[in-house]
Amino acid sequence: MDIEWIEIDDQTRHPTQIAAMRVDEEWRFKNMFYTRIRPLDERLYTWDHVAYTGSAAEDFLSAPTLEEAVNLLNDWLQEDDVLCWWIKSNLKAFMEFIGEIGNK
C-alpha cells in the first residue's frame, strides 16, 4: 500500500492519493486499488505540485473525499489481505488520516 500527501505551511498533512496492489503468493500482480482524494480546501493546494502524476486539478476536485476513499479501500480489501506499506511513515500518515475521520 502507499499513500501520498502534501504538507501545507502549517505542517498539516493533506492526503492526495491512495493505492494498494494485491499480489499472489509468488508476488505476481493480481489487481490494484487506486483513488485520488478530494482536498478539504482547494485553495490550499499548489496544483502544479499536487498534479505531478499528470492529473489536472479537476481530477482531484471530483475525487472522493478522504472518508469516501477509505470506505472504497475497505470495500476492496479482502479478509485475508495482509497490508504491507511502502514505507513506515506512510502507515503512520494513514493512521493519522483515519483518526481525522473519526474525530469529525
Side-chain angles (χ1 to χ4, degrees):
M1 290 191 62
D2 192 22
I3 190 163
E4 300 292 333
W5 65 85
I6 62 169
E7 291 187 24
I8 307 302
D9 292 338
D10 64 1
Q11 302 302 311
T12 303
R13 293 178 178 174
H14 298 271
T16 59
Q17 301 168 74
I18 190 166
M21 187 169 55
R22 187 172 287 121
V23 296
D24 67 14
E25 296 80 15
E26 305 290 322
W27 291 90
R28 290 180 299 234
F29 174 81
K30 290 176 70 178
N31 56 40
M32 184 173 100
F33 172 86
Y34 171 80
T35 187
R36 294 174 189 89
I37 299 171
R38 183 182 323 147
L40 294 173
D41 184 346
E42 65 205 57
R43 296 171 297 165
L44 299 175
Y45 287 23
T46 304
W47 290 107
D48 290 341
H49 174 72
V50 175
Y52 62 90
T53 60
S55 304
E58 297 78 31
D59 296 326
F60 290 92
L61 296 174
S62 63
T65 64
L66 173 61
E67 185 171 4
E68 291 167 340
V70 170
N71 288 335
L72 290 169
L73 173 64
N74 191 49
D75 291 345
W76 179 81
L77 289 170
Q78 298 175 352
E79 279 189 41
D80 61 344
D81 283 341
V82 175
L83 304 183
C84 301
W85 286 87
W86 184 250
I87 56 176
K88 191 174 184 176
S89 63
N90 288 15
L91 170 58
K92 182 179 176 189
F94 182 76
M95 297 309 292
E96 288 173 13
F97 298 143
I98 295 295
E100 290 173 14
I101 292 172
N103 290 330
K104 284 185 176 182

